[in-house]
Amino acid sequence: MPKTPTDQALFKAAEAIRAKAYAPYSRFTVGAAILADDGKIYSGCNIENAAYPVGNCAEASAIAAMIAGGGKRITRIYVTGPGSSPVTPCGGCRQRIREFADLTVPVISHGVEGEPLVCTLEQLLPHSFGPEYLPK
């Protein structure tokens, strides 16, 4: 279980929103909670669609909530899902997180029946491409 008060709050937010996930096809519900640079927690869940590519991952939903709420940067992100293995962000979501987070940002991946895995974004997405590579 989460050890710090911050991770406990993020876990609670991720689990609360995971309960609202719309996953009738995979039945694999995921919640994500972001601590943003404004000090607020933003959360999102996965939303599936019969046309699979049109669905949203929990991490993408949480990022959208952060931007809509006025946050600009991710300082910590907590992802929850079923089972005992860590529920890590998919490749696309790792890149989405990269857009709004420094490489040192902790990403906590937690299959709620097991122990959380804590990695930095750089560990999850080594040799990544980010906005700093593009001309201004």
Side-chain angles (χ1 to χ4, degrees), residues 5-85:
T6 298
D7 283 352
Q8 289 170 1
L10 289 169
F11 174 80
K12 183 177 177 182
E15 281 294 276
I17 199 77
R18 183 167 80 97
K20 297 178 181 182
Y22 179 74
Y25 307 108
S26 72
R27 293 179 179 68
F28 194 86
T29 58
V30 180
I34 290 171
L35 179 62
D37 57 345
D38 61 3
K40 296 179 184 174
I41 293 176
Y42 299 94
S43 58
C45 59
N46 59 322
I47 304 166
E48 294 180 348
N49 191 290
Y52 290 121
V54 183
N56 283 359
C57 293
E59 299 88 342
S61 294
I63 290 168
M66 178 187 77
I67 296 300
K72 304 253 186 291
R73 302 289 296 166
I74 297 168
T75 62
R76 195 170 190 88
I77 183 167
Y78 204 114
V79 181
T80 63
S84 58
S85 296

Side-chain angles (χ1 to χ4, degrees), residues 79-106:
V79 181
T80 63
S84 58
S85 296
V87 177
T88 60
C90 72
C93 284
R94 293 175 194 205
Q95 187 63 45
R96 286 179 184 93
I97 294 166
R98 173 71 168 88
E99 185 73 16
F100 299 99
D102 296 332
L103 292 171
T104 57
V105 164

